[in-house]
């Protein structure tokens, strides 16, 4: 079974589409798993939700998604919460209902593989962070695949009895927006392939400017849009 693992899409439709296209070119993905923060930061939240609904995907909610649902600040910076407020004003009712149905922790079995998905940490699945893989975490993940996000950084450990993966951020990686990042996992072979995919940021930049997003977001996209080999030329 081939799993496509992604997290922290953050409203970046061009990045998600590019990553899914590249993953499908390499392998037929049986199931996509999204470890939270579908929304927030970037402006294609409705389009990202619609796209995810077209895939065979299991999704959970992250703190940005919960902030959009509730209108409350679930551990976000002031700039991030300003964006969530914008998105809350124009999210479709159908997509808001989709987000409301998402759990913050999900455990299920797929083709004899037990999979647990959280956004944050074991103790705090919404806002917690897993920055390193400890012996306690390995013991917790025994006989399962454990998938998480939130840090926007890839993290991986495969043992004889467990697979632990943070696929990084598709739409808002910690080291910059040049690449969309994710992971392909073959559960039968216990083989992992990390993905870094260039994508065109022109449409993203145009939408940010048209909607008067905070300058912080525009400058962050512009910084990589003009770089050689960024697919933005």
């Amino acid at each position: 079974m081939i799993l496509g693992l992604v997290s922290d899409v953050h409203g970046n439709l061009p990045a998600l589409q590019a990553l899914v296209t590249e993953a499908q070119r390499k392998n037929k993905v049986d199931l996509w798993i999204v470890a939270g923060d579908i929304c927030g930061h970037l402006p294609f939240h409705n389009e990202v939700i619609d796209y995810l609904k077209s895939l065979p995907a299991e999704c959970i909610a992250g703190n940005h998604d919960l902030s959009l649902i509730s209108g409350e600040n679930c551990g976000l910076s002031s700039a991030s919460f300003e964006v969530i407020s914008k998105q809350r004003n124009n999210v479709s009712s159908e997509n808001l209902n989709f987000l409301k149905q998402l759990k913050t922790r999900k455990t299920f079995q797929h083709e004899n593989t037990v999979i647990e998905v959280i956004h944050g940490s074991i103790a705090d699945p919404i806002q917690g962070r897993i920055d390193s893989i400890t012996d306690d975490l390995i013991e917790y993940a025994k006989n399962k695949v454990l998938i998480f996000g939130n840090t926007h950084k890839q993290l991986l450990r495969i043992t004889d009895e467990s697979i632990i993966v943070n696929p990084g951020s598709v739409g808002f990686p910690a080291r910059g927006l040049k690449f969309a990042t994710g992971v392909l996992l073959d559960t039968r072979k216990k083989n992992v392939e990390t993905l870094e995919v260039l994508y065109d940021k022109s449409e993203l930049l145009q939408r940010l400017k048209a909607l008067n997003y905070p300058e912080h977001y525009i400058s962050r996209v512009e910084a990589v849009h003009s770089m050689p080999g960024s697919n933005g030329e």
Side-chain angles (χ1 to χ4, degrees):
M1 175 179 61
I2 305 297
L3 300 178
L5 310 181
V6 297
S7 187
D8 299 276
V9 184
H10 284 303
N12 192 339
L13 180 68
L16 179 61
Q17 288 176 321
L19 187 114
V20 170
T21 298
E22 176 63 12
Q24 296 287 19
R25 185 188 68 80
K26 289 175 173 289
N27 279 290
K28 182 182 183 300
V29 176
D30 299 298
L31 181 69
W32 288 92
I33 296 178
V34 185
D37 276 2
I38 295 166
C39 303
H41 288 316
L42 298 173
F44 291 105
H45 47 291
N46 279 308
E47 293 88 345
V48 163
I49 294 170
D50 289 338
Y51 188 68
L52 288 173
K53 288 189 290 190
S54 75
L55 300 174
E58 294 281 353
C59 305
I60 63 162
N63 56 318
H64 283 254
D65 306 318
L66 294 176
S67 292
L68 191 151
I69 292 166
S70 67
E72 298 177 0
N73 190 331
C74 298
L76 308 184
S77 69
S78 57
S80 298
F81 190 61
E82 178 184 348
V83 167
I84 282 292
S85 298
K86 281 179 175 285
Q87 295 183 356
R88 184 172 166 79
N89 287 334
N90 62 22
V91 65
S92 72
S93 58
E94 181 180 351
N95 287 338
L96 185 60
N97 286 333
F98 171 85
L99 292 174
K100 287 179 178 179
Q101 300 302 313
L102 298 180
K103 298 178 180 179
T104 56
R105 184 195 300 264
K106 192 167 191 175
T107 302
F108 60 99
Q109 188 163 321
H110 189 76
E111 292 190 2
N112 299 317
T113 299
V114 177
I115 300 168
E116 181 174 345
V117 192
I118 54 176
H119 181 64
S121 66
I122 306 304
D124 182 355
I126 301 169
Q127 297 183 44
R129 292 174 60 96
I130 297 175
D131 292 304
S132 63
I133 297 176
T134 63
D135 289 342
D136 286 344
L137 187 65
I138 292 171
E139 180 62 26
Y140 177 85
K142 191 173 180 179
N143 299 320
K144 70 174 78 170
V145 176
L146 177 65
I147 302 159
F148 56 96
N150 198 27
T151 66
H152 296 204
K153 298 177 182 179
Q154 291 186 338
L155 195 61
L156 168 68
R157 179 74 59 87
I158 298 177
T159 72
D160 291 339
E161 297 178 301
S162 65
I163 300 174
I164 302 170
V165 184
N166 182 334
S169 172
V170 178
F172 213 71
R175 63 194 181 105
L177 276 71
K178 184 175 182 179
F179 298 98
T181 62
V183 165
L184 287 176
L185 170 62
D186 186 327
T187 59
R188 296 190 185 97
K189 297 179 180 179
K190 283 196 168 183
N191 180 60
V192 168
E193 180 179 0
T194 59
L195 300 175
E196 288 190 336
V197 182
L198 288 167
Y199 63 98
D200 188 352
K201 299 160 188 71
S202 302
E203 187 179 3
L204 175 61
L205 192 56
Q206 290 170 7
R207 178 72 69 93
L208 287 168
K209 291 179 177 179
L211 295 177
N212 294 315
Y213 264 59
E215 182 58 35
H216 162 75
Y217 292 100
I218 295 171
S219 61
R220 187 162 179 178
V221 176
E222 284 180 331
V224 293
H225 178 63
S226 59
M227 291 174 63
S230 69
N231 277 16
E233 300 177 349

